[in-house]
Amino acid sequence: MGMPPLHLLISILFGQPVLGHVRPHILFVLVDDLGWADVGFHRDKANPEVVTPNLDSLVASGIHLNRHYVHHMCTPTRTSVQSGRLPVHVNTRLSGPCQDDTGIPYNMTGMAEKMKQAGYKTHYVGKWDAGMSTPQHTPHGRGYETSLNYFSHKNDFYNQSNMQTCCDSDPTIVDFWRTDRGASDVNGTGYSEFLYRQELVNIVQRHDPELPLFLFYAPHVAHCPLQVPESYYSKFAWMADDEDQCKDRMQGIPVDPSNPALEYKCRQQHAAMIMLMDEVVGNVTAALKVRNMWEDTLMIFSSDNGGPVRILENAANNWPLRGGKFGNFEGGIRATAFVSGGFLPENVRGSERGGIIHIADWYGTLCALAGVDASDQRAAAAGLPPIDSVDMWPYLSGAADASPRNTIPVGDTCLISGSWKLMTAATTPSLWQGPRYPNGSTRESEAETPGCSDGCLFNVEQDPTEQRNWYSLRPDIVASMSRQLQQLQLGFFENQDRFANSCPREVANCACWLARNRYGGFLGPYALLDPEIPEEAHAMVV
Ligand SMILES: *[C@@H]1O[C@H](CO)[C@@H](O)[C@H](O)[C@H]1NC(C)=O
Ligand SMILES: *[C@@H]1O[C@H](CO)[C@@H](O)[C@H](O)[C@H]1NC(C)=O
Ligand SMILES: *[C@@H]1O[C@H](CO)[C@@H](O)[C@H](O)[C@H]1NC(C)=O
Ligand SMILES: *[C@@H]1O[C@H](CO)[C@@H](O)[C@H](O)[C@H]1NC(C)=O
Ligand SMILES: *[C@@H]1O[C@H](CO)[C@@H](O)[C@H](O)[C@H]1NC(C)=O
């Protein structure tokens, strides 16, 4: 990068960025509900159910992260990465954006605010799912200069209409937001991932390459609803005739007796969506290359949780890992992840790192690369937990041999410590899938079967597929890890924010009322920060 412009020089002299620090462009891709076996680089090449040539090539020239942990569901992982806290220190609940305590507490400083402070241009594209109570909770309020996003767990891929959680799932309301207003310029004009591609490519094309770019892309793929353009879907037509599937179905009960074809379609749609997402990632990296930015880019790729194994949800595959989304087996929390990009030192390209990394660690890693202090003074002043994030760059760049992280308190009943994982309560799902779909174990009944009701202890380093339970064989480890978990539990924290609605007092569901009456049909922020607001403010637009 050349000479920084004046405002950067001023921030270098008077702010935190370190003089002479080379700041990479950052492309962060946080995929939704991607299973371990849903990428080519985790599969047997002779079984091409999943076609991901761009991801395969990025990981081949990058670093495969073999123990990159996330929470077992969306909202906690997304609040974790943006806040730099482990989920147990910010939020472990799956909650909708129309709840005040969804996502990141107001007084925590977001990762993009730090990057902006360091002189980065910051942009957000895709799924947010980290709160929207007030304008300060949206991506824009959290430090992204622009956003094209939706707030909930999912929306319709074609018209971006609201699904789940808010306004009784009223589909006439649209969950699509552009920075500080409804995305009325683009809603309903195309398949979501293509709208995101256009947005991402525009951002890259308009960016001044002299300034560092922080681009966060959170695809809707591969989360349900399973919707995909026909041209991608038809590429996997052969999956409906898979011999194994037919054999399996003859042995088992149909998933949905009223619609016997459904179980086949699920996987076909899922595979097509992943191929489409892979192509969009290829388009974005290509755009960075065209502008000569790729050589200075650090790309981070991760799923937000393991794949949901239920055929009726999205038929993801976590083979050979055990379990999936909503559970603490490795299939739920060990995410498909890698880093890539020209910023990586030559000597670490094409390698693998097996040390423990948590998605919360990117906050501190990126602050270190940006040359800005990662500590959160505002949260400290408000009595909120500090960041947990540990700088992984020395480990990833080859300067350090071991990961600086050894421990992850996953939740009230699960602790990872070094190579061991302790689980003290039943967790679901607990099945193993096969390499080829649909291994019978993805049937609804089997997907609902819990495991570890009597406690589990696995050596997930030597036995990542969690076959051998050491719980009764190593009571010493169980006892010491149980004590450690009890100790850590004392510091667990959940978002408890409460705000005053910015609607007329008689309105019961403020977000819906605002969508219908003020935002032109779009879901958006519905609350004010000050709980003691004057009467007239209730009729005011936020
Ligand atoms: C979006 O499409 C669904 C049907 O696929 C429909 O029910 C809904 O009303 C549509 N929403 C909008 C805002 O057009
Ligand atoms: C965009 O959403 C608004 C609000 O629901 C709706 O009135 C409009 O028809 C949508 N646009 C398209 C092209 O679907
Ligand atoms: C995206 O990449 C695909 C595959 O390389 C290519 O065919 C397509 O034209 C690209 N689209 C855009 C909009 O860049
Ligand atoms: C944020 O922190 C300040 C103290 O630093 C406090 O006065 C304020 O109430 C907090 N806001 C929320 C929404 O918690
Ligand atoms: C599914 O795959 C697992 C191995 O991953 C195997 O143990 C199991 O028997 C398979 N089930 C069926 C019905 O093929």
Side-chain angles (χ1 to χ4, degrees), residues 54 197-198 201 232 279-280 282-284 286:
N54 290 298
R197 170 170 65 193
Q198 194 55 55
V201 169
Y232 293 81
E279 185 184 301
V280 172
N283 294 136
V284 178

Side-chain angles (χ1 to χ4, degrees), residues 167 173-174 510-524:
C167 314
I173 289 174
V174 176
C510 185
C512 303
W513 188 89
L514 286 173
R516 293 188 187 110
N517 296 289
R518 298 293 156 106
Y519 291 143
F522 294 85
L523 206 57

Side-chain angles (χ1 to χ4, degrees), residues 97-99 132-133 152 162-175 177 501-504 507-527 542:
C98 296
Q99 284 165 256
M132 65 158 202
S133 312
S152 302
N162 173 50
M163 287 181 141
Q164 233 177 8
T165 63
C166 288
C167 314
D168 300 322
S169 308
D170 179 352
T172 65
I173 289 174
V174 176
D175 182 7
W177 197 249
N501 284 346
S502 53
C503 287
V507 170
N509 193 328
C510 185
C512 303
W513 188 89
L514 286 173
R516 293 188 187 110
N517 296 289
R518 298 293 156 106
Y519 291 143
F522 294 85
L523 206 57
Y526 60 88
V542 283

Side-chain angles (χ1 to χ4, degrees), residues 78-385:
R78 288 162 194 273
T79 57
S80 173
V81 66
Q82 298 295 338
S83 73
R85 273 78 174 177
L86 295 170
V88 294
H89 293 144
V90 53
N91 162 57
T92 57
R93 292 166 308 211
L94 188 67
S95 47
C98 296
Q99 284 165 256
D100 291 354
D101 56 359
T102 286
I104 311 162
Y106 169 70
N107 271 321
M108 286 186 180
T109 304
M111 170 159 71
E113 290 173 71
K114 291 287 187 183
M115 299 304 275
K116 202 164 142 185
Q117 196 187 328
Y120 275 74
K121 301 303 275 183
T122 55
H123 302 278
Y124 197 91
V125 179
K127 173 172 175 171
W128 180 243
D129 200 0
M132 65 158 202
S133 312
T134 76
Q136 287 84 355
H137 289 80
T138 64
H140 185 53
R142 291 291 182 191
Y144 293 96
E145 288 163 62
T146 71
S147 79
L148 179 64
N149 71 278
Y150 59 107
F151 290 111
S152 302
H153 312 309
K154 62 179 179 185
N155 59 3
D156 186 284
F157 274 96
Y158 288 102
N159 64 15
Q160 292 79 41
S161 74
N162 173 50
M163 287 181 141
Q164 233 177 8
T165 63
C166 288
C167 314
D168 300 322
S169 308
D170 179 352
T172 65
I173 289 174
V174 176
D175 182 7
F176 211 30
W177 197 249
R178 189 182 273 294
T179 311
D180 60 358
R181 63 199 64 188
S184 57
D185 56 328
V186 282
N187 73 289
T189 64
Y191 185 78
S192 290
E193 231 61 63
F194 293 155
L195 301 181
Y196 298 146
R197 170 170 65 193
Q198 194 55 55
E199 180 75 4
L200 292 157
V201 169
N202 284 349
I203 289 167
V204 170
Q205 284 175 352
R206 288 180 196 148
H207 181 74
D208 173 359
E210 296 290 304
L211 297 177
L213 172 67
F214 178 48
L215 182 54
F216 203 106
Y217 172 36
H220 190 326
V221 172
H223 199 291
C224 62
L226 294 175
Q227 295 174 312
V228 68
E230 175 63 32
S231 58
Y232 293 81
Y233 181 63
S234 59
K235 291 199 169 90
F236 295 88
W238 60 271
M239 288 181 77
D241 293 324
D242 183 355
E243 229 178 55
D244 289 352
Q245 291 181 338
C246 299
K247 199 173 91 210
D248 175 66
R249 249 193 93 212
M250 284 189 295
Q251 289 166 355
I253 316 139
V255 171
D256 176 358
S258 67
N259 187 357
L262 195 60
E263 62 185 290
Y264 301 143
K265 275 192 170 171
C266 290
R267 185 66 189 178
Q268 187 181 345
Q269 282 161 321
H270 184 71
M273 284 166 75
I274 289 169
M275 184 195 188
L276 185 154
M277 179 271 290
D278 176 84
E279 185 184 301
V280 172
V281 170
N283 294 136
V284 178
T285 55
L288 287 164
K289 283 171 190 163
V290 166
R291 301 227 53 212
N292 292 323
M293 290 165 68
W294 182 249
E295 64 207 53
D296 300 321
T297 294
L298 174 66
M299 175 185 177
I300 301 149
F301 179 100
S302 179
S303 183
D304 65 339
N305 43 248
V309 299
R310 296 176 56 233
I311 280 171
L312 294 181
E313 184 158 1
N314 77 343
N317 191 343
N318 300 307
W319 174 83
L321 299 183
R322 187 174 182 183
K325 184 181 182 182
F326 302 122
N328 285 335
F329 285 105
E330 295 289 276
I333 62 174
R334 188 192 281 224
T336 296
F338 64 82
V339 289
S340 195
F343 186 73
L344 285 179
E346 294 278 352
N347 58 317
V348 297
R349 296 189 195 175
S351 68
E352 173 171 301
R353 284 302 208 181
I356 300 175
I357 302 176
H358 192 278
I359 197 158
D361 293 326
W362 292 109
Y363 187 110
T365 305
L366 297 187
C367 282
L369 286 170
V372 70
D373 177 17
S375 67
D376 190 347
Q377 306 302 334
R378 189 171 132 217
L384 294 170

